[in-house]
Amino acid sequence: MARTRRPLIAGNWKMNGLKADAIALAKGVADAVKQAGWTDREVLVCPPATLVSAIADAARGTGLLVGGQDCHAKPSGAHTGEIAAEMLRDAGASHVIVGHSERRTDCGETDAIVRAKAEAAWRAGLLPIVCIGETLAEREAGKTLAVLETQLEGSVPAGATAATLVVAYEPVWAIGTGKTPTTPEVAAAHAHIRKVLTGLVADAAGVRLLYGGSVKGSNAAELLAAGDVDGALVGGASLKADEFLAIAKAA
Ligand code: PEP
């Protein structure tokens, strides 16, 4: 049976990259994506906002997708330093990450703010990747599934569909640490996310669920094979073309 949820491998470059090196990295990934000609998976890079336009230019015609790492909820106005979803779209982005744990922690983003950002993404014609995940303390207290449920209920806007929503499960303690949950733990979290989505999204079975947290070339195949995993959100390993492409190949 044909797979209905096309895997998405997304790279989050975070606050890394100056123009020359970033374009070289994007070109390395874009050339390989073009050569592979994948129709059974999607590959996305999310550079810093300053580079979205240049990376979109470098990726044009190759099949490599480009996204933002965050957006403001409003389309314009007196919000110094912020980036509207419309600006990302105008710069060539098709996707935007919202609610990354670093933003939830560093910038105090609540589920309500994340939901408003996801709605802003829709308004601008972008596909939001809504991030959720438990802290180590929450996991050790046995609260993982309850935390995921609360975050989903608060962060996923009403009216979301499989075509307008991607969810990334990123255990906070696995981000940038080299630690990962076991594949049964990933599968259990994703099964629960899918179950909760059933009450929030009409076609929940079609929503893509990405796993994120210390994914690299050597563990990608195992993590991507866990139940209900439809791709990966990759931080550190997305800054090296070979490593990121190894993950894309494993999808
Ligand atoms: C992330 O920041 O979304 C992430 C998953 O980072 P890393 O792959 O470095 O753990």
Side-chain angles (χ1 to χ4, degrees):
M1 194 178 84
R3 193 178 171 132
T4 50
R5 298 189 301 260
R6 189 148 49 135
L8 171 64
I9 304 299
N12 172 14
W13 292 2
K14 311 195 187 191
M15 197 173 70
N16 295 293
L18 298 180
K19 206 162 27 177
D21 286 348
I23 290 174
L25 169 60
K27 280 192 171 149
V29 175
D31 286 350
V33 167
K34 185 174 185 185
Q35 202 176 353
W38 285 311
T39 53
D40 60 350
R41 72 201 72 186
E42 293 177 336
V43 184
L44 167 75
V45 291
C46 300
T50 51
L51 292 168
V52 167
S53 179
I55 302 300
D57 286 346
R60 190 158 298 117
T62 66
L64 177 64
L65 303 166
V66 181
Q69 298 176 10
D70 177 50
C71 65
H72 195 272
K74 298 265 170 62
S76 63
H79 303 287
T80 303
E82 296 286 351
I83 310 276
E86 284 78 359
M87 294 171 177
L88 291 172
R89 174 76 192 226
D90 187 49
S94 53
H95 295 59
V96 63
I97 299 167
V98 293
H100 190 282
S101 74
E102 286 153 15
R103 294 210 54 92
R104 288 179 184 263
T105 305
D106 296 356
C107 308
E109 290 190 4
T110 62
D111 289 333
I113 291 172
V114 175
R115 187 177 61 233
K117 290 182 175 205
E119 285 169 343
W122 291 352
R123 187 188 63 224
L126 300 177
L127 180 55
I129 300 173
V130 175
C131 300
I132 56 171
E134 82 286 1
T135 63
L136 186 58
E138 288 163 343
R139 173 162 284 265
E140 287 175 348
K143 294 182 181 159
T144 297
L145 301 186
V147 166
L148 298 180
E149 192 162 336
T150 302
Q151 289 183 333
L152 277 174
E153 287 171 354
S155 307
V156 172
T161 68
T164 61
L165 176 72
V166 174
V167 173
Y169 167 55
E170 298 206 299
V172 178
W173 52 273
I175 295 178
T177 59
K179 293 180 191 153
T180 57
T182 63
T183 45
E185 285 169 341
V186 173
H190 280 229
H192 190 68
I193 291 168
R194 178 96 45 212
K195 189 171 140 208
V196 174
L197 283 177
T198 307
L200 301 173
V201 181
D203 51 355
V207 176
R208 286 178 292 178
L209 307 184
L210 313 186
Y211 167 76
S214 296
V215 179
K216 48 192 178 183
S218 56
N219 63 14
E222 191 185 345
L223 288 164
L224 288 165
D228 261 315
V229 174
D230 308 308
L233 181 52
V234 184
S238 69
L239 294 172
K240 292 187 189 132
D242 287 354
E243 191 72 15
F244 186 55
L245 288 163
I247 298 167
K249 282 177 192 148

